Amino acid sequence: MSVTWDDIGGLVDAHERFLTGARVDADVRGAVLDSWKRCRSVGLEPDRLLVPYAPDLALDDTFLRAAEPVLQRLTGSLSEVGMTIALCDSHGRMVQRLGGDRLLRGRLDDVRFAPGFDASEQVVGTNGVGTALAERGPVYVVGREHFADCLQPFACAGTPVRNPLSGHIEAVLDLTCLRDDGDPVMLRLVREAARDIEARLLEQATQRERALLAAYRRAGRAADGWPPQPASTRPERYGEGAGARLGRIDLAVLREKAEELIAAPHRTLDEVMLSGGRSALLLRRQVRGAAGETGVVVEARILGGTGVGPVGLAGPGTVDGPATVAGVVPVPATATEAAVVVPVSATATEAAVVVPISRIAAPPKTRAAATGLPGSPTSPPLPTLVLPSPQPSAPEPVMDDRLLLLGDPGVGRLAVLARRRLELLHEAGVRIGTTLDVARTAEELAEVAVPRFADFAAVDLPDPVLHGEEPGPLGADTPLRRVAVGSVREEPDLYGVGDQVGYVPSTPQSRSLETGRAVLEPVLAEAGGWLAQDPARLARVLTAGIHSLITVPLRARGTTLGVVSFYRSGHPAPFEEDDLSLAQELAGRAAICIDNARRYTREHNTALALQRSLLPKGRPEQSAVEVAYRYLPAQAGVGGDWFDVIPLSGARVALVVGDVVGHGLHAAATMGRLRTAVHNFCSLDLPPDELLTHLDDLVGRLDRGEGWAVDSSQADSGIVGATCLYAVYDPVSRHCALTRAGHPLPAVVGPDGTVEFVDLPSGQPLGLGGMPFETVELELAEGSQLVLYTDGLIEDRHQDIDAGLERLGTVLARADRSPEETCEAVLDALLPARPSDDVALLVARTRALGPDRVAQWELPSDPAVVSRSRAAVTEQLAAWGLDELSFTVELVASELVTNAIRHATGPVQLRLLRDRALICEVSDGSGTSPRLRRARTEDEGGRGLFLVAQLTERWGTRYTPDGKIIWTELPLPGRLTTP
């Protein structure tokens, strides 16, 4: 069993990071990453697949006759191996499944990898069948390289099977096994089987095709001036020749230059520079068959490197399929005289690439022959058209070293142009729209167009589109913003990114915006309307060599979003009428992506505006703590994190941090409802555990959808989950009471810099109900920092909560920071630029209300003490310099003390606090709350609380474990507002 990269953890988290939008280029093979991007672009979800089924699928009888003996032989060789063979049609739908044990077949049935079901990449994601079809070449996919979760237990190798004359992909052949049984040698095995099928199809070639191939074979090595290769320069072993290791890029360059040469009637030679300091010399000449058939041949000689050797070609994956130029089709290594054909156009009789191979030695046997595998995991992979190494004892093979293109010149140019346009459209479909950012999508359009279609491309959009708004009608008087520019070289005389552009009515851009159609200007020097935009500037542009223009409006869903301009300068040929359709197709695809990004931007901005409106605005007036806070929205959008600082009676303050699970408008709206509920419960002065109990009951009712929905479709969709931490700090006693419901532990930073995470009982998340919440009370030294936060700060896909808490503790261990500095240090150390989850952070440094600002008296339950209490209050206010409040406070204290003595039980306490307001409190041992009422004329009592309410700014009742406290607040004189 081989050890894969997946086994040792290299792909354990790359897939998850890719789904969050992180870069994984260095962690994932290029072909797999390209496939993942295609899967994401079509909206596939790894944990949810909808696989269509089509009954009665069948392949062409001619193909089946060629494939049947090969598949029978392959099935026999794999009879003792836990591996199944799948034969799928050119759309990726499975037609046959052969071999495999019962366990493997059952597991494949469970994931719908069975006859009749679709295995194409756009349906089930990265896999041997669909990805081989999308890449148009052989692929090996193992374990977590599969995009879909359900396919990750498997390993698979697949390759297209082409008609060797038309180049059309007729089928896809795949080998699949369990991941632990996978081995890259499966790729060699499936490629050999595909070559065998293609060789059998080649035997059915037409008479003309056979005649042209025979004519070339008779041409000889030194025909038309080609010198014979000296024996001393022939490679002695596989891999030593200059052409033996041509890569995919070199092969693509050779193919393209050969096609261009056959399409050029007046050219006979061309030189192509390759990688590694090598070059290729191409020669074009005529051939004629015995019956008069004519064609054109392009031959190649590879020069440089370590010597001169055979032209090495990779497999079908190195070229495109029938929609462009058909792929190279390999020949079995056991053939004694064979050729490989690749048509340049869709008609097999018009043009074809031919690589002759003569007297090829059979490949060596390996120790894997006993298992039916053509090689071992340690043997080099079998190349498609690179000659295999002979046995050391075998005679040295004679190898032909010419790459040939055979076809009719008349169709060559059209085929080359068609192939390039289709390749460009394919690339545009993959590269444009990879994000939901308007500006980035415009940049992708410019990057795709330059240099393959134009030498300069510019995208202009109105500012409303960039902000996610509807653009409105666009015309000559509408200012546009240059959003993206692509150029093969610097063009200083054209507008740059960020410039505002106002096109005059006569310009091609204005005309295209008004008519909604593309405008072609093949000769810009004669386009007066274009020059009228800025004659001096554009005259310099013409001097720089720009000579033709196509401008296309960006229209999507009936709305014009902007305009894109394509310029040519380096291209020898100006834009033609045929280029209009390609430009419009490019612009149409980009416009849909830009509109999707615009709509997303609008919805995202709306959700952010809603969320910001629900979060606190500024800091409330209180002197118990010095507060700093931060809120960072998630990369995925708005969420349900919130925080609050709520002043309470008695100079106390409540600190709240909460988190609604999920993202989006529903989470933000639910957060707003919970935040409002906490404020309402705080007004009742409830203890922390009771407040969370009420909040838990509210969340449970919201989750059950108990509301005023008109019909069932409008019922509350459920919160799913919410957590909360609630703390109350008293600056007089320096006591802090904390309770949490499933929320991360708070941290306390002492004045000396020591960090402690409070051992606070977790409690269950809000909404579950049934379990009481527990409160822990701490005594905090003045200057301590209480740090509250949501789980997005310490936990994500790449970091567990314990590691996050350890890092947080390390960052907080400083005694000389202000709360603002603490917030900055924590975010810099723990968070990336764009967190994957919302983050709320609240840092509060405690203050103390010293004895010089607090006065209290213990009073017996005797009416005689009322007069003494009035005198004590008057004396204390004089000491504080608040004589002007004496009359009012004396009257309020007298009424409250009298009521406590008359109607309550237990000891009575009177307390004055000088804070931002003057606070007067009277406590007793009764749990009965007084009631404010309006006394009638004949009533003798009932006016005391009414007078208190009229004389004070605020008043209320809060309960304690021993009774209650009646409190009042009076504003201080202006000169003493700040204590």
Side-chain angles (χ1 to χ4, degrees), residues 275-346:
S275 62
R278 295 171 296 182
S279 64
L281 186 62
L282 304 183
L283 172 68
R284 178 183 186 273
R285 63 184 179 85
Q286 298 284 334
V287 294
R288 178 182 296 273
E293 303 88 353
T294 60
V296 178
V297 163
V298 176
E299 300 176 337
R301 172 68 55 84
I302 309 300
L303 305 173
T306 59
V308 180
V311 175
L313 289 180
T318 63
V319 291
D320 294 329
T324 57
V325 175
V328 175
V329 182
V331 177
T334 56
T336 58
E337 186 174 16
V340 178
V341 183
V342 179
V344 179
S345 66

Side-chain angles (χ1 to χ4, degrees), residues 340-398:
V340 178
V341 183
V342 179
V344 179
S345 66
T347 305
T349 58
E350 291 177 337
V353 174
V354 180
V355 179
I357 303 173
S358 60
R359 298 191 297 279
I360 300 176
K365 294 183 179 179
T366 67
R367 55 194 172 97
T371 63
L373 300 178
S376 68
T378 59
S379 62
L382 181 63
T384 302
L385 286 181
V386 177
L387 301 182
S389 174
Q391 292 278 16
S393 59
E396 180 181 343
V398 178

Side-chain angles (χ1 to χ4, degrees), residues 16-17 19-22 632-639 662-663 791-793 795-799 831-839:
E16 297 298 321
R17 288 188 288 115
L19 296 176
T20 65
L632 275 73
Q635 182 178 3
V638 299
H663 297 91
D791 59 357
L793 181 69
E795 185 179 19
D796 58 24
R797 293 175 182 265
H798 315 299
Q799 172 181 264
L831 284 187
R834 299 191 67 188
S836 58
D837 192 11
D838 286 28
V839 174

Side-chain angles (χ1 to χ4, degrees), residues 936-958:
R936 291 173 295 182
T937 306
E938 62 272 15
D939 291 342
E940 295 184 2
R943 295 176 177 82
L945 279 182
F946 179 77
L947 289 175
V948 169
Q950 295 297 311
L951 294 173
T952 61
E953 187 176 49
R954 297 172 61 222
W955 77 278
T957 304
R958 71 173 181 269

